[in-house]
Amino acid sequence: MQAHGSLDATLDATLAALSDPTRRAILARLARGEATVNELAEPFPISQPAISRHIKVLADAGLIVQRVEGTTRPCRLAPQGLSELDEYLAMLRKGLERNYQRLDRLLARQRKDKPS
């Protein structure tokens, strides 16, 4: 895991980017494959410049990458875009699992100590 401050900044950017339903829908579309900005804008009732701003937020958070191909700018998911979030969630899952294990031990002890 990264140093605490840099992880916080990366995680904050990732969570902020994921907080918007339009950006989550863009990511879901990109999970099916690369798409141009115009293709990404198609299903939304908002302007292409607004979609471009969403794409910039996703790119700044490291969730997508964009390349220039003539006059188009195809986007795709970034290979390691969710790695910090995965690490954070794994840490939370481990903590939750430890809590459940402690609870299981406590309940087993109570059952053992309880007179029949």
Side-chain angles (χ1 to χ4, degrees):
M1 211 174 231
Q2 298 175 356
H4 187 64
S6 105
L7 177 62
D8 284 350
T10 304
L11 190 57
D12 287 349
T14 299
L15 292 172
L18 293 173
S19 71
D20 185 273
T22 300
R23 291 192 286 267
R24 290 192 307 271
I26 290 170
L27 290 172
R29 166 54 188 88
L30 292 174
R32 297 192 326 253
E34 190 174 86
T36 65
V37 173
N38 286 337
E39 290 169 336
L40 292 172
E42 203 171 275
F44 299 103
I46 58 178
S47 68
Q48 189 272 331
I51 289 293
S52 291
R53 287 190 294 275
H54 283 297
I55 289 169
K56 181 173 178 1
V57 170
L58 292 167
D60 289 348
L63 296 172
I64 66 171
V65 291
Q66 204 174 7
R67 62 184 168 80
V68 177
E69 189 175 272
T71 59
T72 63
R73 296 196 177 345
C75 302
R76 61 183 167 82
L77 294 176
Q80 298 297 317
L82 295 174
S83 60
E84 287 86 4
L85 181 57
D86 283 341
E87 289 178 30
Y88 178 72
L89 293 174
M91 181 264 308
L92 293 178
R93 280 187 210 99
K94 286 178 189 170
L96 189 58
E97 182 61 29
R98 283 191 304 270
N99 287 343
Y100 282 131
Q101 289 170 353
R102 281 193 299 269
L103 181 59
D104 287 344
R105 287 191 301 270
L106 175 65
L107 292 173
R109 229 183 347 255
Q110 286 178 343
R111 281 192 295 266
K112 183 180 167 189
D113 294 344
K114 186 176 180 180
S116 301

